[in-house]
Coordinates of all heavy atoms in Angstrom, one line a residue:
T49 N 17.6 -24.9 -4.7 CA 16.7 -26.0 -5.0 C 15.3 -25.9 -4.3 O 14.4 -26.6 -4.6 CB 17.3 -27.3 -4.7 OG1 17.7 -27.4 -3.3 CG2 18.6 -27.5 -5.6
A50 N 15.3 -25.1 -3.2 CA 14.1 -25.0 -2.4 C 14.2 -23.7 -1.6 O 15.3 -23.3 -1.1 CB 13.8 -26.2 -1.5
F51 N 13.0 -23.0 -1.4 CA 13.0 -21.8 -0.6 C 12.0 -22.1 0.6 O 10.8 -22.4 0.3 CB 12.5 -20.6 -1.4 CG 12.4 -19.4 -0.6 CD1 13.5 -18.5 -0.5 CD2 11.2 -19.0 0.0 CE1 13.4 -17.3 0.3 CE2 11.1 -17.8 0.8 CZ 12.2 -17.0 0.9
V52 N 12.4 -22.1 1.8 CA 11.6 -22.5 2.9 C 11.4 -21.3 3.9 O 12.4 -20.8 4.3 CB 12.2 -23.7 3.7 CG1 11.1 -24.3 4.6 CG2 12.8 -24.8 2.8
E53 N 10.2 -20.9 4.1 CA 10.0 -19.7 5.0 C 9.9 -20.1 6.4 O 9.1 -21.0 6.8 CB 8.6 -19.1 4.6 CG 8.4 -17.7 5.2 CD 9.3 -16.6 4.7 OE1 9.5 -16.5 3.4 OE2 9.9 -15.9 5.5
K54 N 10.8 -19.6 7.2 CA 10.9 -19.8 8.7 C 10.8 -21.3 9.1 O 9.8 -21.7 9.8 CB 9.8 -19.0 9.4 CG 10.0 -17.5 9.2 CD 9.0 -16.6 9.9 CE 9.3 -15.2 9.7 NZ 8.3 -14.3 10.3
P55 N 11.7 -22.2 8.6 CA 11.6 -23.6 8.9 C 12.0 -24.0 10.3 O 12.8 -23.3 10.9 CB 12.6 -24.2 7.9 CG 13.6 -23.1 7.7 CD 12.9 -21.8 7.8
K56 N 11.4 -25.0 10.8 CA 11.8 -25.5 12.1 C 13.1 -26.2 12.1 O 13.9 -26.2 13.0 CB 10.7 -26.5 12.7 CG 9.4 -25.8 13.1 CD 8.4 -26.7 13.6 CE 7.1 -26.0 14.0 NZ 6.0 -26.9 14.5
D57 N 13.4 -26.9 10.9 CA 14.6 -27.6 10.7 C 15.3 -27.1 9.5 O 15.1 -27.6 8.4 CB 14.4 -29.1 10.6 CG 15.7 -29.9 10.5 OD1 16.7 -29.4 11.0 OD2 15.7 -31.0 9.9
P58 N 16.0 -26.0 9.6 CA 16.6 -25.3 8.4 C 17.6 -26.2 7.6 O 18.4 -26.9 8.3 CB 17.3 -24.1 9.0 CG 16.8 -23.9 10.3 CD 16.4 -25.3 10.8
P59 N 17.5 -26.2 6.3 CA 18.5 -27.0 5.5 C 19.9 -26.4 5.6 O 20.0 -25.2 5.7 CB 17.9 -26.9 4.1 CG 17.1 -25.7 4.1 CD 16.5 -25.6 5.4
A60 N 20.9 -27.3 5.7 CA 22.3 -26.9 5.9 C 22.9 -26.5 4.5 O 22.4 -27.0 3.5 CB 23.1 -28.0 6.6
I61 N 24.0 -25.8 4.6 CA 24.8 -25.5 3.4 C 25.6 -26.7 3.1 O 26.2 -27.3 4.0 CB 25.7 -24.3 3.6 CG1 24.8 -23.0 4.0 CG2 26.6 -24.0 2.4 CD1 25.7 -21.8 4.4
P62 N 25.7 -27.2 1.8 CA 26.5 -28.3 1.5 C 28.0 -28.1 2.0 O 28.6 -27.1 1.7 CB 26.4 -28.4 0.0 CG 25.1 -27.8 -0.4 CD 24.9 -26.7 0.7
G63 N 28.5 -29.0 2.7 CA 29.9 -28.9 3.3 C 30.0 -28.1 4.5 O 31.0 -28.0 5.1
Q64 N 28.9 -27.5 5.0 CA 28.8 -26.7 6.2 C 27.6 -27.1 7.0 O 26.6 -26.4 7.0 CB 28.8 -25.2 6.0 CG 30.1 -24.7 5.3 CD 29.9 -23.2 5.0 OE1 29.5 -22.8 3.9 NE2 30.3 -22.3 5.9
P65 N 27.6 -28.3 7.7 CA 26.4 -28.8 8.3 C 25.8 -28.0 9.4 O 24.6 -28.2 9.7 CB 26.9 -30.2 8.9 CG 28.4 -30.1 9.0 CD 28.8 -29.1 7.9
D66 N 26.6 -27.1 10.0 CA 26.0 -26.2 11.1 C 25.6 -24.9 10.6 O 25.1 -24.0 11.4 CB 27.1 -26.0 12.2 CG 27.5 -27.3 12.8 OD1 26.6 -28.2 12.9 OD2 28.7 -27.5 13.2
M67 N 25.6 -24.6 9.3 CA 25.3 -23.3 8.8 C 24.1 -23.4 7.8 O 23.9 -24.4 7.1 CB 26.5 -22.6 8.1 CG 27.7 -22.4 9.0 SD 27.4 -21.3 10.4 CE 27.5 -19.7 9.5
A68 N 23.4 -22.3 7.7 CA 22.3 -22.2 6.7 C 22.4 -20.9 5.9 O 23.0 -19.9 6.4 CB 20.9 -22.3 7.4
L69 N 21.7 -20.8 4.8 CA 21.7 -19.6 4.0 C 20.4 -18.9 4.2 O 19.3 -19.4 3.7 CB 21.9 -19.9 2.5 CG 23.4 -20.0 2.0 CD1 23.4 -20.3 0.5 CD2 24.2 -18.8 2.3
A70 N 20.4 -17.7 4.8 CA 19.1 -17.0 5.0 C 19.0 -15.9 4.0 O 20.0 -15.2 3.7 CB 19.2 -16.4 6.5
S71 N 17.8 -15.7 3.5 CA 17.5 -14.6 2.6 C 17.6 -13.2 3.2 O 17.1 -13.0 4.4 CB 16.1 -14.8 2.0 OG 15.8 -13.6 1.2
M72 N 18.3 -12.3 2.5 CA 18.4 -10.9 3.0 C 17.3 -10.0 2.5 O 17.3 -8.8 2.7 CB 19.8 -10.4 2.7 CG 20.9 -11.1 3.2 SD 22.5 -10.6 2.5 CE 22.7 -9.0 3.1
G73 N 16.4 -10.5 1.6 CA 15.4 -9.7 1.0 C 16.0 -8.8 -0.1 O 15.5 -7.8 -0.4
I74 N 17.1 -9.3 -0.8 CA 17.8 -8.6 -1.9 C 17.7 -9.5 -3.1 O 18.1 -10.6 -3.0 CB 19.2 -8.2 -1.6 CG1 19.3 -7.4 -0.3 CG2 19.9 -7.5 -2.7 CD1 20.8 -7.2 0.2
Y75 N 17.1 -9.0 -4.2 CA 16.9 -9.8 -5.4 C 17.4 -9.0 -6.6 O 17.1 -7.8 -6.7 CB 15.4 -10.1 -5.6 CG 14.7 -10.6 -4.3 CD1 13.8 -9.9 -3.7 CD2 15.0 -11.9 -3.8 CE1 13.2 -10.4 -2.5 CE2 14.4 -12.4 -2.7 CZ 13.5 -11.6 -2.0 OH 12.9 -12.1 -0.9
V76 N 18.0 -9.7 -7.5 CA 18.4 -9.2 -8.8 C 17.7 -9.9 -9.9 O 17.7 -11.2 -10.0 CB 19.9 -9.2 -9.0 CG1 20.3 -8.8 -10.5 CG2 20.7 -8.3 -8.0
F77 N 17.1 -9.2 -10.8 CA 16.4 -9.7 -12.0 C 16.8 -9.0 -13.3 O 17.2 -7.8 -13.2 CB 14.8 -9.5 -11.9 CG 14.1 -10.2 -10.8 CD1 14.0 -9.6 -9.5 CD2 13.5 -11.4 -11.0 CE1 13.4 -10.3 -8.5 CE2 12.8 -12.1 -10.0 CZ 12.8 -11.5 -8.7
Q78 N 16.6 -9.6 -14.4 CA 16.6 -8.9 -15.6 C 15.2 -8.3 -15.7 O 14.2 -8.9 -15.4 CB 16.8 -9.8 -16.8 CG 17.2 -9.1 -18.1 CD 17.8 -10.0 -19.2 OE1 17.6 -11.2 -19.1 NE2 18.5 -9.4 -20.1
T79 N 15.1 -7.0 -16.0 CA 13.9 -6.2 -15.9 C 12.7 -6.9 -16.7 O 11.6 -7.0 -16.2 CB 14.1 -4.8 -16.4 OG1 15.2 -4.2 -15.7 CG2 12.8 -4.0 -16.1
R80 N 13.0 -7.3 -17.9 CA 12.0 -7.9 -18.7 C 11.4 -9.2 -18.1 O 10.2 -9.4 -18.0 CB 12.5 -8.3 -20.1 CG 11.5 -8.8 -21.1 CD 12.1 -8.9 -22.5 NE 13.1 -9.9 -22.6 CZ 14.4 -9.7 -22.7 NH1 14.8 -8.4 -22.9 NH2 15.3 -10.7 -22.8
F81 N 12.2 -10.0 -17.5 CA 11.8 -11.2 -16.8 C 11.0 -10.9 -15.6 O 9.9 -11.5 -15.3 CB 13.0 -12.1 -16.5 CG 12.6 -13.4 -15.7 CD1 12.1 -14.5 -16.4 CD2 12.8 -13.4 -14.3 CE1 11.7 -15.6 -15.7 CE2 12.4 -14.6 -13.6 CZ 11.9 -15.7 -14.3
L82 N 11.4 -9.9 -14.8 CA 10.7 -9.5 -13.6 C 9.3 -9.0 -13.9 O 8.3 -9.4 -13.3 CB 11.5 -8.4 -12.9 CG 10.7 -7.7 -11.7 CD1 10.5 -8.7 -10.6 CD2 11.5 -6.5 -11.2
I83 N 9.1 -8.2 -15.0 CA 7.8 -7.7 -15.3 C 6.9 -8.9 -15.7 O 5.7 -8.9 -15.4 CB 8.0 -6.6 -16.4 CG1 8.6 -5.4 -15.8 CG2 6.6 -6.3 -17.0 CD1 9.0 -4.3 -16.8
E84 N 7.5 -9.8 -16.5 CA 6.7 -11.0 -16.8 C 6.2 -11.7 -15.6 O 5.0 -12.1 -15.5 CB 7.5 -12.0 -17.7 CG 7.8 -11.5 -19.1 CD 8.8 -12.4 -19.8 OE1 9.2 -13.4 -19.2 OE2 9.2 -12.1 -20.9
Q85 N 7.0 -11.9 -14.6 CA 6.7 -12.6 -13.4 C 5.6 -11.8 -12.6 O 4.7 -12.4 -12.0 CB 7.9 -12.9 -12.5 CG 8.9 -13.9 -13.2 CD 8.2 -15.2 -13.4 OE1 7.6 -15.8 -12.6 NE2 8.3 -15.7 -14.7
L86 N 5.8 -10.5 -12.5 CA 4.8 -9.7 -11.8 C 3.5 -9.8 -12.4 O 2.4 -9.8 -11.7 CB 5.3 -8.2 -11.7 CG 6.6 -8.0 -10.9 CD1 7.1 -6.6 -11.0 CD2 6.3 -8.3 -9.4
R87 N 3.4 -9.7 -13.7 CA 2.1 -9.8 -14.4 C 1.5 -11.2 -14.2 O 0.2 -11.3 -14.0 CB 2.3 -9.4 -15.9 CG 2.5 -7.9 -16.1 CD 2.7 -7.5 -17.5 NE 2.7 -6.1 -17.6 CZ 3.4 -5.3 -18.5 NH1 4.2 -6.0 -19.3 NH2 3.3 -4.0 -18.5
R88 N 2.3 -12.2 -14.3 CA 1.8 -13.6 -14.0 C 1.2 -13.7 -12.6 O 0.1 -14.2 -12.4 CB 2.9 -14.6 -14.2 CG 2.5 -16.0 -13.9 CD 3.7 -16.9 -13.7 NE 4.6 -16.4 -12.6 CZ 4.3 -16.5 -11.3 NH1 3.1 -17.0 -10.9 NH2 5.1 -16.0 -10.4

């Protein structure tokens, strides 16, 4: 629902108030959609 870069108060995982989900820099796209987004 939101992507926050290096937040001071990281949002917690629902049901796990002490944990957060950090991006690993790994993304999966359908190729056609990715190319549309890159051109945009």
